[in-house]
Amino acid sequence: MDERFMRMALEEAQRAYDLDEVPVGAVLVKGGKVLSRSHNLCEAASDPTAHAEMLAIKEAIRKTGGLLLGSTLYVTLEPCAMCAGAALNTRISRIVFGAFDIRGGCCGSVADITDGWFNHSIEVMGGILEHESKALLSRFFANKR
Amino acid sequence: MDERFMRMALEEAQRAYDLDEVPVGAVLVKGGKVLSRSHNLCEAASDPTAHAEMLAIKEAIRKTGGLLLGSTLYVTLEPCAMCAGAALNTRISRIVFGAFDIRGGCCGSVADITDGWFNHSIEVMGGILEHESKALLSRFFANKR
């Protein structure tokens, strides 16, 4: 189940790649149904906050009109502070991510803000289809050099 | 100077209060000029990510078309993880806040993600016009009970 939705997140990451955006994709799922799916659009939007997770969270909020308790955020790269914080604020229950981000990851790598610091905690699982997520990112940055 | 812009942020917080929103206001300033000002709109937008800081950051990005290096974020309440993370992502140089948030503040109270954890650090000063910011919040929550 987790792999299935992570493959969907990887499809989103590929879309970002095709647009010359840092290839990160995200899918929000609740009760086995996809609430939203999105990919990084920082370049196109000239907006450093247009991360895949933020866009997916915003779309899911628009659709559901409320908090996202009980939902799982699938994302190909470990969320940063902003995105993990947005997941906390919207009461997302679970985060499943692909590649670890040793520079900015806030679900364990640099910091872990998901577990017990605030009035809501998020269950986190990292490394799902890690190789595929990482390979896409590596290919992107190799092409940039 | 800091007090002057914090008074402006307090005006924004009062606007939120008048709209029955949790009264938090934010102002982004660069080179002595106001880039943007905003207030919490979580209820009106049915969006738990519509914090004053996020809205001010988004507006400033739209106006400047880029990163916010050299700018100062004035906000009446200590930023949460999402907003402090957005400040990191947009390279805001300085955060000046009013009241401390012992439940969710990520600029020192619960956690401090602004200093040295990532590839960008933010200078932080808390407690500017703290009493006024806190009084407005207290009044709001007292009315809710």
Side-chain angles (χ1 to χ4, degrees):
Chain A
M1 186 80 141
D2 281 342
E3 278 209 18
R4 186 185 136 209
F5 291 119
M6 189 56 90
R7 291 227 175 271
M8 210 176 276
L10 271 164
E11 286 171 22
E12 289 294 323
Q14 181 65 49
R15 288 185 191 173
Y17 184 96
D18 295 342
L19 295 168
D20 209 26
E21 300 271 358
V22 174
V24 179
V27 176
L28 255 168
V29 175
K30 187 172 176 175
K33 282 186 187 163
V34 175
L35 291 177
S36 60
R37 46 191 293 177
S38 196
H39 50 270
N40 175 36
L41 284 173
C42 286
E43 293 299 322
S46 297
D47 180 352
T49 73
H51 287 192
E53 303 96 306
M54 289 301 287
L55 301 177
I57 287 170
K58 288 249 179 209
E59 194 190 325
I61 288 167
R62 269 195 301 272
K63 280 189 187 167
T64 64
L67 297 172
L68 303 173
L69 201 69
S71 67
T72 299
L73 172 65
Y74 293 88
V75 54
T76 58
L77 180 67
E78 185 180 354
C80 72
M82 174 184 72
C83 294
L88 283 168
N89 291 348
T90 55
R91 304 288 185 268
I92 285 172
S93 297
R94 207 166 152 250
I95 294 175
V96 178
F97 68 84
F100 291 81
D101 183 355
I102 54 164
R103 287 191 198 165
C106 275
C107 298
S109 289
V110 177
D112 186 357
I113 62 167
T114 61
D115 188 17
W117 286 29
F118 304 100
N119 60 354
H120 175 68
S121 285
I122 301 175
E123 188 195 323
V124 173
M125 190 171 2
I128 304 296
L129 300 186
E130 179 182 6
H131 176 76
E132 288 87 334
S133 296
K134 209 171 160 179
L136 194 60
L137 285 159
S138 300
R139 188 145 48 96
F140 178 82
F141 288 111
N143 284 342
K144 288 282 161 198
R145 269 176 225 123
Chain B
M1 186 81 142
D2 282 342
E3 281 208 11
R4 185 184 136 211
F5 291 120
M6 189 57 87
R7 291 227 175 268
M8 208 177 278
L10 272 165
E11 286 169 22
E12 289 294 324
Q14 182 64 50
R15 287 185 191 174
Y17 184 96
D18 295 342
L19 295 168
D20 209 27
E21 300 271 357
V22 174
V24 179
V27 176
L28 256 167
V29 175
K30 188 172 178 176
K33 283 185 187 163
V34 174
L35 291 177
S36 60
R37 48 190 291 178
S38 196
H39 49 271
N40 176 36
L41 285 174
C42 286
E43 293 299 320
S46 296
D47 180 352
T49 72
H51 287 192
E53 304 96 305
M54 289 301 288
L55 301 177
I57 288 171
K58 288 249 175 206
E59 193 191 326
I61 288 167
R62 269 195 301 271
K63 279 188 187 166
T64 62
L67 296 173
L68 304 173
L69 201 70
S71 67
T72 299
L73 173 64
Y74 293 88
V75 54
T76 57
L77 179 67
E78 184 180 353
C80 72
M82 175 183 71
C83 294
L88 283 167
N89 291 348
T90 55
R91 304 289 184 266
I92 285 173
S93 297
R94 205 165 155 252
I95 293 175
V96 179
F97 67 84
F100 291 82
D101 183 355
I102 55 164
R103 287 192 197 164
C106 274
C107 298
S109 290
V110 178
D112 186 358
I113 62 168
T114 61
D115 188 19
W117 286 30
F118 304 100
N119 60 353
H120 174 67
S121 286
I122 301 174
E123 188 195 324
V124 173
M125 190 172 359
I128 304 296
L129 300 186
E130 179 183 5
H131 177 75
E132 289 87 333
S133 297
K134 211 172 158 177
L136 195 59
L137 284 159
S138 299
R139 188 146 47 96
F140 178 82
F141 287 112
N143 285 342
K144 287 285 162 196
R145 272 175 222 124

